[in-house]
Amino acid sequence: MSSLQSTLSQYLADPSEVPGAAAEIICAPASLPDAAKVLEACSAAGASVVPWGSGSQQRVGGLVPADVILSTHRLNQIVDWQPDNMTVVVQGGVRAADLAERLAERHQTAVLAEIPGESTVGGLVATGASMYRRARYGPIRNRMLEATLATGDGRVVRGGGRVVKNVTGYDIPRLVAGSMGSLGLIGEVCLKLWPMGAAHATVRVDDPERAWATAYRPLAVLDINGSSFVYLGGTPAEVAGQSAQLGDVVSDQMLWPEPWIGSGDEVRLSMRVRPSDVADAVASLPSGWEYVAAYGVGEVSIGCPKVSLDELADLRRFAEARGGALVVLDGPTALYESFDPWGSPPSSLDLQRRIVARFDPDRIINRGRLPGGL
Amino acid sequence: MGLAEELVALVGADRVLVEPVDLYLYGTDASIDRGPVKNVVFPESTEEVAEIVKIANRYQVPVVPRGAGTGLSGGAIPIGSSLVVSLTRMNGIEDVDPINMTARVGPGVINLDLSKHTKALGVHYAPDPSSQSICTIGGNIANNSGGPHCLAEGTTVEHILELEMVTADGQVIVLGGQAPDPVGLDLRGVVVGSEGTMGIVTSAIVKLTPNPLATRTVLATFNTVEDAASAVSAIIARGIVPAALELMDKLMTVAVERFVGAGFDTEATATLLAEVTGHDSAVDAELEIVREVCELHDAKAVRVAVDEAERARLWLGRKSAFGAVAQMAPDYYLHDTVVPRTKLAEVMAKVYEIADRYDITMMNVFHAGDGNLHPLMAFDSTEPGMLDRVHAAAKELVEVCVAAGGALSGEHGVGIEKRDLMPLVFNEYDLDAQARLREAFDPDGLFNPGKTLPEGSRCFDFGRPVPEGVWV
Amino acid sequence: MGWVTDSAPTRAELSACVQCGLCLPECPTFRLTGKETFSPRGRLMAMSAVADGVVQVDAAFEAIMDSCLQCRACEVVCPSLVPFGRAMEGARTELTAQLPSSQRKARHLVVGKVLASPALLRMATLGVKAGQKMRIGKLLPATLRSGFQGIRPIMPVAVEAGSTYPALGERIGRAGFLTGCVMDVWFSEVHAASIALLQRAGYDVVIPPAQTCCGALAAHDGDMKDARKLAQKNVVAFANVDVVVVDSAGCGAHMKEYENFTQDGEAFSKRVFDINELIAIAIGSGRIPTSATERGDVAVQDPCHLRHAQRIVDQPRSMLRAAGYNPVEIDPDGRCCGAAGIYSLLQPVLSQQLGAAKADQVRVSKAKVVASANPGCEMQLRSYLGSGYEVVHPVELLWRAVQEDDR
């Protein structure tokens, strides 16, 4: 490792710059070609690499050891915002909160995390975190127009383009969303933007299933621990007209549930089922557990201080029987050893292995972080 | 037994074509090239497709999947004597699920048939290519097809939840599902738009979209194409996302009007067809924004379609545009570039300038809201020197669009047509990465070879980049 | 070898197709098979292949051409305005010239000669009549049985050649009425109703004695020589009338295209009207009364050569409404019923599938009466619907209503 450390000397960062990161070597390249050089050196040395944004989602889907932590905090430029084209090019280390603040100047949104905290664009893309407004705007992969990666074997590779519609070649940007960094470090992405509604409302409803069926294109319909809300955005007339029909207006702002920050203390799960199974999924949860159930989407985020392996296995059976999955987002380290964070691997596992091998032949980035130990 | 005999043994003589004239009909699609066909086979089940692929593997014959053959980039045209697998008979619509708003469809289901099928439920299949009356869902998946209403609703890839696919080695795999975020790499997005190079999709679960509560269709005419293009950019910049923003120039409007008689103004230099959809209380406000912006950009006239019948006629006109070109000249050649929406007016001016310089009839009809241009040259290929001029002009057109920060294709696909232009937008590393991706799916390169990527894209066969400066 | 006749598909006809494929969904045979070899685009491409010398006019080419119904639904949706029907007749003419099979020759004897000969037709009619009396329908082979069972009971001829039927009320013109070949004796009730309504509408109706078969079946089958002869004969026979009125959609569509068969055909074609057109105008102008009596539902079947070839869609519905009926739509796509002239005999499998599908559409509509303005469709519908349904020409329903209301 010491020879690798010296090879990487010009890219090293002080550990204090990267809170929470624990590895012998912490690098923070300031450009994509530099990141590629770091990865090429790591590949040659057979060193395992964990890309690092804010560190808030490092426990999603698996805990992997790192010889080298590759922090994106110096890749923090908003490279090219074209408000009139409704696109923005940002580097992976840009904080989602900073991007949101900037885009708000022209009432635009990249529809990333509603309450982003410290999370970075690269981290949100890597974990495929589509959050609540996907009910209206679709998952994050739908906003990925272009992606530039530093691959495991040290190449800088770009796919897609900076236009809103594009079939020029294979859709690498979309593949990158949710790839857990397995194809490469997410150095730069071009995102499609949406106009923010002029008016908003959070409306309390009794029956979320009915609310989803009757509301016209809401931003979200959430059941938060037994209280249900419809989130509306659009023109003032549209929001006012719909609110009145749906229930009681609680706020003219969006009252989103507080996000969780990965800490290892508490078990956090994501249950994914068909939208029609959400009510049953909620009913299947033991009492006292916290949850946010997204109607019309099919995702139930679950938080539980204490949970037995049997309970987890039951939940997973429930989800997988419905064509879904139960994914561990966070939890004590011991849990990861006794309970596969992803569950049954997909039927395309062999194919996925072949793909990853072509981007990261020595399999150094986040090894084992994908389903099936990939 | 030979290939044809094995296929006949599998599916019966009625579903295998062997006669030269029959095969000739499968040598092309709606684009201009032609290739050799060894046989055509019409499977009716996933199992048959898997067996067909295995048989083709044994004979090392390239496999070219085909839907309705309406592609404009040559994606279904064989290169090297190939087995064409026509999926038109796998056209079942099953499991229409009004709660989850999904349906399971065979690849041969015709796009518009699906929306007709689900009409009574108040939902439709949103991507609407101009060829939607005939193009198949399988073909749409192969090309990640767009259409006028993809501006707000997104292209095909946003509407595909699950794919069942036969891989290059004849295995059946399932990608994605109805639950959100399948675990592992989400391969749906790569397979959609892969032009049949990664597998043969045998079934798909598609997302259905609720019909809009209210729709307003606007026809605005302008004295210059630049005014119309500026109006489009300005509408987008105003922060609304109309359901569709389509632009036609004068020559195209004349051709279309002759066929459809929808009341297009054939004197106008540019015609903008805009549609806003949404909640009853929102559409009129958006309509006013569109009207106001058009007037600010010197619109000659702005008219709102009075009823569904007029709306249908206007759209029929728009969607018949390419076919109508034949009234003008026997041949046409079009590109499908995309430019940032801020560059529309500037690029359009250059497009006409190029056509003038090469003395070629230029007609335009395109998805202006997406910045997706379809510059179309109408010509007579028997005129001496014409083809050379067309090719030279086409090259310049693409270069202008790429220089403006654009892409080679917005929805028609790369196919054969734009394959060799790929280096204009991607460097060797980018192309190599795409070639690697393809190789992971199809190591022997028997699935629709010669499409999408130029020859020699796989530069770095040993998994390591060659250091800079080593090659010339 | 390429083409050998002067009727072959022309370069202009073929190059008008840009292969966009918009015709495919409208083609009944493509819908059934999913094959380009059964599609308009494929057929045109096969013709181009012959024109370009890539393939010969052989049995495989013949199969591609012969599966075509010539319903011309493709023409309606073609933004390139390809004259598909004309090109197909050209291709069939080439088949006649290059592949003179005995079967085709026998067919041409019927469509070119028997249909044009009153004496021979009378013999055939006597045969059918005798057959109907003896109920031999059940004994015939399946391919012939359905057609035979669709034939109306033979009635005495109601219309005599050379007669004149004077206009009632204000006289607006002189109409020459085509009695046709089969229609003359097998559909005399339809003729009677048409003539009576034309009189009401203000036409002096004459039955030119020199008229003959319109030649449609001959042209569709590639018997260009006879088709030309018949067209020329009719142009002369109908020289002295203001309008030529036809109550069979297939004949009308063909006579509107006489320009492809005789030199003076273009001027002639402008005077040809389907009965639906003239009567709908008469209803609109009040010359034929609109009934106040409600008479129930009628399923409307659009003959292809009315809807696609002549683009006549609203007029039969206007007639039915004027007769007090509620026209019920059975098929928004207006797909062919599979009768298609002699197609039901030549391609029994495809014809059977289309006929059965059309009958199902009628059954779904719940209507017990079906209006169809073409003899071939009428026969097809009758045989696939079976008992319990009445299949009539719209003019019959209107004439009945007018008579009832007169009482």
Side-chain angles (χ1 to χ4, degrees):
Chain A
M1 281 302 124
S2 62
S3 74
L4 181 61
Q5 191 144 22
S6 66
T7 312
L8 297 178
S9 58
Q10 57 177 311
Y11 310 113
L12 294 180
D14 189 279
S16 67
E17 291 173 47
V18 191
E24 210 171 306
I25 303 174
I26 299 177
C27 288
S31 73
L32 256 174
D34 284 354
K37 285 186 186 118
V38 171
L39 287 161
E40 189 183 4
C42 293
S43 241
S48 61
V49 179
V50 169
W52 193 280
S54 72
S56 65
Q57 301 187 80
Q58 288 293 353
R59 302 176 80 85
V60 172
L63 297 176
V64 294
D67 297 324
V68 177
I69 279 178
L70 184 50
S71 171
T72 58
H73 72 273
R74 287 180 192 156
L75 295 168
N76 62 353
Q77 299 300 306
I78 296 176
V79 178
D80 184 16
W81 177 29
Q82 294 286 337
D84 290 351
N85 192 39
M86 301 189 80
T87 56
V88 68
V89 180
V90 288
Q91 289 187 315
V94 169
R95 290 169 71 246
D98 293 343
L99 177 62
E101 193 185 326
R102 185 77 198 283
L103 298 176
E105 291 168 14
R106 287 281 304 266
H107 299 286
Q108 296 187 350
T109 172
V111 204
L112 300 176
E114 286 80 14
I115 302 180
E118 293 299 310
S119 56
T120 61
V121 172
L124 292 168
V125 169
T127 52
S130 297
M131 307 308 290
Y132 302 122
R133 285 174 292 173
R134 73 184 296 171
R136 166 78 165 262
Y137 297 105
I140 192 169
R141 59 177 175 272
N142 287 355
R143 288 181 284 289
M144 296 285 292
L145 302 178
E146 183 186 69
T148 311
L149 308 171
T151 63
D153 54 358
R155 293 166 289 133
V156 175
V157 163
R158 186 179 60 85
R162 296 177 184 183
V163 288
V164 293
K165 191 175 175 191
N166 193 356
V167 295
T168 314
Y170 300 125
D171 198 342
I172 288 178
R174 192 174 289 270
L175 183 62
V176 164
S179 66
M180 309 300 292
S182 61
L183 303 175
L185 179 83
I186 299 162
E188 192 178 287
V189 295
C190 178
L191 299 171
K192 179 178 175 177
L193 304 177
W194 286 89
M196 288 203 301
H200 290 98
T202 305
V203 182
R204 183 191 289 274
V205 294
D206 296 328
D207 180 350
E209 204 154 27
R210 205 176 144 263
W212 171 255
T214 51
Y216 184 74
R217 302 207 159 183
L219 299 178
V221 176
L222 303 181
D223 170 0
I224 308 170
N225 300 322
S227 303
S228 297
F229 303 92
V230 176
Y231 299 79
L232 299 172
T235 63
E238 181 183 4
V239 170
Q242 281 221 71
S243 310
Q245 290 166 9
L246 288 165
D248 304 325
V249 179
V250 185
S251 170
D252 61 359
Q253 305 291 311
M254 306 276 86
L255 303 182
W256 298 112
E258 281 299 318
W260 116 98
I261 310 271
S263 63
D265 299 336
E266 193 175 288
V267 176
R268 287 275 169 176
L269 307 165
S270 165
M271 187 193 277
R272 297 158 189 182
V273 290
R274 288 176 308 197
S276 58
D277 293 325
V278 171
D280 288 348
V282 168
S284 77
L285 299 179
S287 64
W289 287 18
E290 290 181 9
Y291 66 88
V292 177
Y295 279 82
V297 172
E299 182 166 28
V300 185
S301 310
I302 302 164
C304 38
K306 280 205 179 102
V307 59
S308 72
L309 285 177
D310 286 346
E311 282 173 320
L312 286 175
D314 283 348
L315 283 183
R316 176 160 285 164
R317 256 196 302 280
F318 177 93
E320 291 189 353
R322 285 159 183 75
L326 182 80
V327 180
V328 177
L329 305 179
D330 193 6
T333 303
L335 176 70
Y336 288 84
E337 283 151 18
S338 46
F339 187 71
D340 187 311
W342 294 105
S344 307
S347 65
S348 58
L349 184 63
D350 286 345
L351 181 53
Q352 303 210 8
R353 183 170 287 119
R354 291 200 297 273
I355 292 170
V356 170
R358 278 163 176 81
F359 283 78
D360 181 6
D362 298 307
R363 199 62 197 101
I364 58 162
I365 309 178
N366 274 343
R367 179 178 200 153
R369 191 84 185 272
L370 283 176
L374 186 58
Chain B
M1 279 208 294
L3 174 69
E5 289 77 14
E6 285 207 45
L7 293 171
V8 167
L10 179 69
V11 301
D14 186 44
R15 291 197 271 129
V16 180
L17 298 185
V18 295
E19 292 290 341
V21 63
D22 293 359
L23 302 179
Y24 183 80
L25 308 190
Y26 283 84
T28 188
D29 54 16
S31 63
I32 52 178
D33 292 300
R34 172 170 286 284
V37 179
K38 202 168 178 67
N39 288 117
V40 183
V41 61
F42 299 86
E44 289 180 353
S45 69
T46 303
E47 295 71 30
E48 285 182 358
V49 173
E51 286 308 309
I52 288 165
V53 168
K54 287 176 191 163
I55 292 171
N57 275 346
R58 278 206 297 282
Y59 288 88
Q60 286 291 295
V61 174
V63 173
V64 179
R66 179 184 170 104
T70 53
L72 292 166
S73 66
I77 295 176
I79 293 180
S81 189
S82 304
L83 173 62
V84 172
V85 180
S86 170
L87 296 148
T88 50
R89 294 171 76 97
M90 291 179 68
N91 60 354
I93 302 175
E94 294 157 35
D95 305 338
V96 176
D97 177 346
I99 308 291
N100 289 304
M101 294 205 287
T102 58
R104 177 179 286 283
V105 300
V109 168
I110 291 173
N111 177 305
L112 189 60
D113 285 1
L114 176 55
S115 290
K116 281 184 183 166
H117 188 89
T118 61
K119 196 176 171 190
L121 297 172
V123 295
H124 67 288
Y125 180 67
D128 61 337
S130 294
S131 56
Q132 75 177 128
S133 68
I134 177 60
C135 63
T136 61
I137 300 291
N140 292 171
I141 290 170
N143 290 290
N144 189 13
S145 302
H149 288 87
C150 292
L151 175 58
E153 301 293 353
T155 53
T156 300
V157 69
E158 298 191 21
H159 302 269
I160 301 297
L161 298 175
E162 183 183 295
L163 293 173
E164 178 191 77
M165 183 175 100
V166 172
T167 61
D169 55 357
Q171 304 301 305
V172 179
I173 60 171
V174 175
L175 306 177
Q178 283 175 281
D181 300 333
V183 303
L185 294 177
D186 188 352
L187 298 179
R188 290 173 295 190
V190 176
V191 169
V192 176
S194 64
E195 305 186 349
T197 61
M198 290 180 169
I200 300 180
V201 170
T202 49
S203 172
I205 296 180
V206 301
K207 192 171 92 180
L208 301 170
T209 301
N211 296 345
L213 295 177
T215 302
R216 303 280 185 274
T217 305
V218 185
L219 200 64
T221 49
F222 295 84
N223 288 322
T224 70
V225 173
E226 287 74 19
D227 282 347
S230 305
V232 169
S233 301
I235 289 168
I236 297 293
R238 282 285 289 265
I240 62 169
V241 182
L245 277 176
E246 299 289 309
L247 219 160
M248 284 199 281
D249 67 9
K250 185 173 177 175
L251 272 180
M252 191 57 94
T253 310
V254 169
V256 160
E257 181 64 17
R258 202 177 287 162
F259 165 60
V260 81
F264 286 105
D265 177 358
T266 51
E267 296 300 314
T269 308
T271 297
L272 179 66
L273 185 60
E275 191 156 279
V276 292
T277 59
H279 196 258
D280 302 302
S281 53
V283 284
D284 287 321
E286 291 202 0
L287 173 68
E288 278 318 305
I289 294 177
V290 171
R291 185 199 295 275
E292 187 189 314
V293 173
C294 288
E295 281 164 2
L296 273 173
H297 287 81
D298 300 326
K300 257 175 78 180
V302 182
R303 157 183 141 208
V304 181
V306 292
D307 56 14
E308 183 53 34
E310 184 179 8
R311 179 178 172 264
R313 270 200 310 279
L314 292 173
W315 278 114
L316 175 64
R318 165 61 189 87
K319 292 185 174 181
S320 309
F322 291 137
V325 171
Q327 300 170 36
M328 297 287 168
D331 302 290
Y332 74 82
Y333 183 64
L334 85 157
H335 267 295
D336 169 42
T337 56
V338 195
V339 297
R341 294 171 282 192
T342 45
K343 301 282 180 65
L344 273 174
E346 175 193 325
V347 170
M348 288 309 296
K350 287 182 183 161
V351 163
Y352 287 107
E353 186 270 314
I354 292 168
D356 279 351
R357 195 148 35 76
Y358 285 97
D359 191 20
I360 296 170
T361 305
M362 171 64 69
M363 303 167 81
N364 274 288
V365 50
F366 61 100
H367 311 303
D370 292 315
N372 188 184
L373 309 184
H374 292 327
L376 183 151
M377 291 173 278
F379 58 94
D380 182 348
S381 57
T382 59
E383 198 179 306
M386 180 53 95
L387 272 178
D388 293 338
R389 261 157 53 216
V390 166
H391 279 126
K395 187 161 174 285
E396 275 196 47
L397 282 175
V398 171
E399 284 165 357
V400 161
C401 294
V402 170
L408 294 178
S409 177
E411 54 181 11
H412 296 170
V414 173
I416 300 172
E417 192 209 16
K418 289 171 279 271
R419 180 189 69 185
D420 296 328
L421 299 173
M422 289 285 274
L424 286 177
V425 288
F426 293 118
N427 68 24
E428 309 91 309
Y429 288 94
D430 305 336
L431 289 173
D432 171 67
Q434 297 196 31
R436 286 170 191 238
L437 196 50
R438 175 194 203 139
E439 189 187 79
F441 281 86
D442 179 19
D444 296 335
L446 284 180
F447 269 5
N448 213 5
K451 309 296 160 60
T452 313
L453 297 176
E455 292 287 316
S457 293
R458 186 74 163 89
C459 314
F460 312 110
D461 278 326
F462 302 101
R464 286 271 178 276
V466 183
E468 261 176 306
V470 166
W471 70 83
V472 283
Chain C
M1 188 152 95
W3 303 131
V4 298
T5 75
D6 61 357
S7 296
T10 65
R11 182 64 66 180
E13 284 165 352
L14 296 178
S15 71
C17 175
V18 294
Q19 289 144 37
C20 69
L22 291 180
C23 53
L24 270 62
E26 308 305 321
C27 177
T29 55
F30 177 79
R31 279 286 186 171
L32 287 176
T33 61
K35 294 175 177 171
E36 288 284 348
T37 44
F38 287 76
S39 81
R41 176 173 67 174
R43 289 167 184 135
L44 288 169
M45 206 184 288
M47 293 177 206
S48 291
V50 172
D52 294 342
V54 178
V55 299
Q56 298 300 313
V57 173
D58 59 8
F61 177 81
E62 182 179 36
I64 293 172
M65 297 305 134
D66 279 355
S67 72
C68 175
L69 292 148
Q70 294 173 294
C71 71
R72 297 168 64 181
C74 50
E75 286 187 10
V76 179
V77 294
C78 177
S80 307
L81 312 176
V82 175
F84 180 87
R86 209 323 286 169
M88 178 52 70
E89 287 177 358
R92 296 253 174 114
T93 307
E94 286 290 330
L95 285 171
T96 302
Q98 299 196 37
L99 296 179
S101 68
S102 58
Q103 201 202 12
R104 199 174 285 274
K105 276 185 192 152
R107 287 208 307 267
H108 288 182
L109 196 65
V110 176
V111 298
K113 303 286 187 310
V114 177
L115 294 184
S117 155
L120 289 172
L121 256 188
R122 253 195 306 278
M123 276 169 64
T125 303
L126 286 173
V128 170
K129 200 170 174 180
Q132 281 178 339
K133 232 178 209 162
M134 291 155 63
R135 299 174 197 276
I136 63 160
K138 291 195 176 75
L139 307 174
L140 292 172
T143 52
L144 292 177
R145 196 192 305 150
S146 66
F148 188 82
Q149 288 178 338
I151 298 174
R152 292 178 183 227
I154 300 292
M155 304 289 274
V157 174
V159 183
E160 288 297 339
S163 315
T164 301
Y165 302 83
L168 301 176
E170 188 200 351
R171 183 184 171 282
I172 62 164
R174 181 177 163 87
F177 190 81
L178 179 86
T179 52
C181 43
V182 177
M183 289 285 281
D184 191 12
V185 281
W186 297 9
F187 290 81
S188 53
E189 293 148 301
V190 179
H191 287 348
S194 294
I195 291 167
L197 287 169
L198 283 169
Q199 288 177 280
R200 282 262 176 158
Y203 292 97
D204 287 332
V205 184
V206 297
I207 317 293
Q211 65 171 297
T212 184
C213 164
C214 70
L217 291 179
H220 298 338
D221 204 36
D223 182 2
M224 191 57 67
K225 220 168 73 193
D226 286 323
R228 281 178 178 153
K229 255 190 240 159
L230 296 171
Q232 278 150 8
K233 215 169 163 191
N234 276 329
V235 168
V236 174
F238 285 93
N240 296 319
V241 295
D242 299 319
V243 291
V244 179
V245 186
V246 187
D247 61 4
S248 149
C251 306
H254 181 67
M255 293 177 84
K256 285 182 177 179
E257 291 171 0
Y258 266 6
E259 64 186 85
N260 296 329
F261 301 90
T262 78
Q263 275 184 338
D264 36 9
E266 196 173 347
F268 176 86
S269 293
K270 290 202 174 75
R271 291 188 289 132
V272 177
F273 291 89
D274 184 88
I275 185 77
N276 286 283
E277 293 178 279
L278 290 186
I279 301 303
I281 292 170
I283 291 165
S285 60
R287 279 179 279 132
I288 288 179
T290 297
S291 179
T293 311
E294 286 183 25
R295 291 188 167 84
D297 290 350
V298 174
V300 186
Q301 188 267 347
D302 290 312
C304 295
H305 284 206
L306 200 62
R307 176 168 171 148
H308 306 314
Q310 300 188 60
R311 313 281 165 100
I312 294 173
V313 179
D314 295 336
Q315 292 90 332
R317 290 160 175 78
S318 306
M319 280 171 54
L320 293 171
R321 273 190 288 270
Y325 290 97
N326 172 40
V328 177
E329 299 300 329
I330 58 168
D331 179 5
D333 300 320
R335 204 148 290 157
C336 180
C337 67
I342 55 174
Y343 191 87
S344 50
L345 301 176
L346 302 179
Q347 302 274 349
V349 177
L350 291 170
S351 175
Q352 189 273 329
Q353 286 175 291
L354 293 168
K358 188 59 68 182
D360 282 344
Q361 287 176 330
V362 173
R363 289 188 193 104
V364 166
S365 79
K366 300 271 196 293
K368 293 292 173 190
V369 182
V370 190
S372 174
N374 191 54
C377 310
E378 183 188 304
M379 285 162 66
Q380 178 90 338
L381 282 165
R382 197 174 286 125
S383 66
Y384 281 95
L385 277 168
S387 59
Y389 291 86
E390 191 192 4
V391 187
V392 289
H393 194 292
V395 291
E396 291 179 278
L397 292 177
L398 180 58
W399 177 232
R400 261 187 233 167
V402 169
Q403 286 174 299
E404 275 177 31
D405 290 355
D406 279 353
R407 275 182 220 129

